[in-house]
Amino acid sequence: MNRYSLNQATTKYWPLEDVVAASAKAGLEWIGLWREPIQEYGVDQAAKLVADAGLKVSSLCRSGFFTSTDAAERKAKIEDNRRAIDEAATVGTPVLVLVSGGLPAGSRDLDGARAMVRDGLAELAPYAEERGVTLAVEALHPMFCSDRCVVATLGQALEIAAPHPADAVGVCIDTYHLWWDDQVWKGIEQAGREGRIASFQLADWITPLPEGVLLGRGLPGEQ
Amino acid sequence: MNRYSLNQATTKYWPLEDVVAASAKAGLEWIGLWREPIQEYGVDQAAKLVADAGLKVSSLCRSGFFTSTDAAERKAKIEDNRRAIDEAATVGTPVLVLVSGGLPAGSRDLDGARAMVRDGLAELAPYAEERGVTLAVEALHPMFCSDRCVVATLGQALEIAAPHPADAVGVCIDTYHLWWDDQVWKGIEQAGREGRIASFQLADWITPLPEGVLLGRGLPGEQ
C-alpha cells in the first residue's frame, strides 16, 4: 500500500478538481483535504469527486481554534468543530486535524488558553468517537505560539490527548513544526506506543526563515 | 540591593563609555557586558571604566558556538571560549553566557551538533570553575535552532548542565526565548532547586514577528 498522501495545502491555489485529478493521475491513493475548499465546492460533491477518482481521504484540515475569552464565541467554535467532525465523516476520513488557536486577543494568559483547549477537546471527543473520527492535535512550531497555536510540542499534544481514548483524540506529527525538539524522538515513541499517531505531515524547515513564514516549507532534502 | 542589570545589547549602538555613564547616572548597580565592544575598548580598560563608575558586571555575553564538523575549528572555538572565561574574570563577572551554535554548515545532524555542545562544555567546565566563572547555557527560541543555537528549551539546557557542578555550569533563563514552553515553570523550579540560575534575561515577545527577528524585542508589558 502506498501510504503517501498529498496535503491539499501543498497545492493551495489549485482548484479542487485539478488537485484531485492530478493526484489520481500521479498514482496516489490518498489525499489530505482542507475545509474551506471543500465547503466552497460542496462537501457531499467533494466526497463524490474524490471517491470517483479512486482516492481516499487521509485527513481533513483543520479545526480547533478553541481560544477566546468570550464564552459565546467559544461555544460557537465548539459548534464549528462539530460541523468539522461531520464534514470529516462525510468525506470518509478517519482524521480531523486540530490547531488549538493562539492567545485570545489582548490576553497574555497562556495557561488559561491551554485550559480552553483541554475544555474544548473534552466537549468534542465523545462526538468525534461517535462519528468515527479521530481528532489529531497538532503542535505548531513555537514561533506560532502567540497568534495561532498554544500547543507547541509533541509532548504537550500528547499530554492534552491523554485523558481521551486514542480513537477519539490522537496527535498530528509535523516534521516542519517539531524537528528542533530534543524530546521529539521520545514523544514519537510514546505516541506510537499509545496508538495516537493519527497523522504524519512531512515538510522541511528553511533557514533563514522565509518572509512568508506561515506558508514557507522546504521539499525534504532540497534546501 | 537593586538586582536589575542593563544588558549592553539593549543599547547595542551606544559607545561603551556612554552606556556605562548612563547606567551609573540612572542609579544602576549592575551592567551586562558583551565581548566585542569590550575587546574593542580593551578588556582591562573596560574593567577599570566600569569599576570607576561604581558598577558591577552581572554577566559577559557571549561565547559558545561549539558546533563545527571541522576538528581544528572546534579546537579553535574551545580556545576562544577559554579567552572568554579570562575576559569574564578580568571584568570581575561571575557569569559567562553561552549560546551553543546551530547546525554546522551543510550538516543536518542535530543530535551530533548537540553532542559537540556537551563535549565543549566538558572541556571548559574545569577551567571556568578554576577562574571562578559560571558558564550559563542559554536556550534560544526554537526558531534559531538551525542557524544559531541547537539548545532550544530550558529542560535541554538543564540536561546539558547536569554533569557539571552548578558553580561551573548553570543556565541563562531568557523570557523572550522561553515563554512559549509549557514545561518552563517546571524547568525554572528545577533550576532554582539545583542552584543553576546563573542569569535571568528579561524581554518580551512581539507578535507578529518583527522583520529583524534576531534583535526584535518588546519592553515587557508594552506590546
Side-chain angles (χ1 to χ4, degrees):
Chain A
M1 186 183 75
N2 181 352
R3 298 179 69 190
Y4 175 79
S5 176
L6 178 74
N7 189 296
Q8 194 178 356
T10 316
T11 55
K12 189 176 167 77
Y13 302 106
W14 296 14
L16 181 64
E17 291 182 352
D18 291 0
V19 63
V20 166
S23 298
K25 194 173 166 200
L28 300 187
E29 296 177 22
W30 297 89
I31 188 167
L33 296 177
W34 278 65
R35 293 184 71 195
E36 295 78 358
I38 68 165
Q39 286 173 351
E40 199 180 308
Y41 191 83
V43 179
D44 290 319
Q45 293 90 318
K48 185 172 182 318
L49 177 76
V50 169
D52 287 351
L55 295 170
K56 290 165 287 184
V57 182
S58 53
S59 67
L60 181 65
C61 291
R62 82 199 158 174
S63 194
F65 297 97
F66 298 108
T67 53
S68 169
T69 46
D70 180 69
E73 201 182 329
R74 279 206 305 283
K75 192 161 179 291
K77 292 192 178 193
I78 295 292
E79 288 316 307
D80 185 57
N81 273 286
R82 282 184 205 276
R83 281 193 295 277
I85 291 168
D86 291 337
E87 291 163 9
T90 300
V91 298
T93 181
V95 176
L96 175 66
V97 176
L98 298 190
V99 169
S100 70
L103 284 173
S107 165
R108 288 172 188 151
D109 180 7
L110 199 48
D111 292 340
R114 285 164 172 164
M116 290 173 192
V117 177
R118 283 191 289 269
D119 291 348
L121 276 175
E123 284 205 58
L124 291 172
Y127 186 64
E129 205 170 12
E130 188 186 316
R131 299 297 319 253
V133 172
T134 302
L135 305 173
V137 179
E138 181 171 13
L140 297 195
H141 191 284
M143 71 185 163
F144 298 116
C145 185
S146 62
D147 61 350
R148 190 162 292 267
C149 190
V150 293
V151 180
T153 65
L154 179 55
Q156 191 190 353
L158 285 167
E159 193 190 307
I160 285 172
H164 308 286
D167 283 349
V169 184
V171 295
C172 169
I173 294 175
D174 185 309
T175 54
Y176 177 81
H177 293 296
L178 302 180
W179 64 272
W180 57 269
D181 183 0
D182 72 321
Q183 299 298 307
V184 77
W185 303 123
K186 203 178 78 174
I188 292 173
E189 279 175 23
Q190 181 190 336
R193 214 163 49 234
E194 296 179 358
R196 291 203 194 260
I197 304 179
S199 176
F200 196 102
Q201 296 180 346
L202 196 64
D204 211 353
W205 180 265
I206 295 173
T207 304
L209 286 173
E211 273 181 55
V213 73
L214 182 59
L215 301 176
R217 299 289 187 281
L219 271 176
E222 292 228 336
Q223 266 87 4
Chain B
M1 188 183 71
N2 181 354
R3 296 178 72 191
Y4 175 78
S5 176
L6 178 74
N7 189 295
Q8 194 176 358
T10 316
T11 55
K12 190 176 166 76
Y13 303 106
W14 294 14
L16 181 63
E17 290 181 355
D18 291 1
V19 63
V20 167
S23 299
K25 193 174 167 198
L28 301 187
E29 297 178 21
W30 297 90
I31 188 167
L33 296 177
W34 278 64
R35 292 185 73 196
E36 294 78 358
I38 68 165
Q39 285 172 351
E40 198 179 307
Y41 191 82
V43 179
D44 289 318
Q45 294 89 321
K48 184 172 184 319
L49 177 77
V50 169
D52 287 351
L55 295 170
K56 290 164 286 183
V57 182
S58 54
S59 67
L60 181 65
C61 291
R62 77 196 164 177
S63 192
F65 297 97
F66 297 109
T67 53
S68 168
T69 47
D70 181 69
E73 201 182 329
R74 280 206 304 284
K75 193 161 178 292
K77 291 191 178 191
I78 294 293
E79 287 316 306
D80 185 56
N81 274 286
R82 281 184 205 274
R83 280 192 296 276
I85 292 168
D86 291 338
E87 291 163 9
T90 300
V91 297
T93 180
V95 176
L96 174 65
V97 176
L98 298 189
V99 169
S100 71
L103 283 173
S107 164
R108 288 171 187 151
D109 180 8
L110 200 48
D111 293 339
R114 285 163 173 167
M116 290 173 194
V117 178
R118 283 191 289 270
D119 291 349
L121 276 176
E123 284 205 60
L124 291 172
Y127 186 63
E129 206 170 12
E130 189 185 315
R131 300 295 320 253
V133 172
T134 302
L135 305 173
V137 179
E138 179 170 14
L140 298 196
H141 190 284
M143 73 185 162
F144 298 116
C145 185
S146 64
D147 61 349
R148 191 162 291 266
C149 190
V150 294
V151 180
T153 65
L154 179 55
Q156 189 190 355
L158 285 167
E159 193 190 307
I160 284 172
H164 308 286
D167 282 349
V169 184
V171 296
C172 169
I173 295 175
D174 185 309
T175 55
Y176 176 81
H177 292 296
L178 301 179
W179 64 272
W180 57 269
D181 183 1
D182 72 320
Q183 300 298 307
V184 78
W185 303 124
K186 204 177 77 175
I188 292 173
E189 279 175 22
Q190 180 190 336
R193 214 165 45 235
E194 295 180 359
R196 291 202 194 262
I197 304 179
S199 176
F200 196 101
Q201 296 179 347
L202 195 64
D204 212 354
W205 180 264
I206 296 172
T207 304
L209 286 173
E211 276 182 53
V213 74
L214 182 59
L215 301 177
R217 299 288 186 284
L219 271 177
E222 292 230 336
Q223 266 86 7

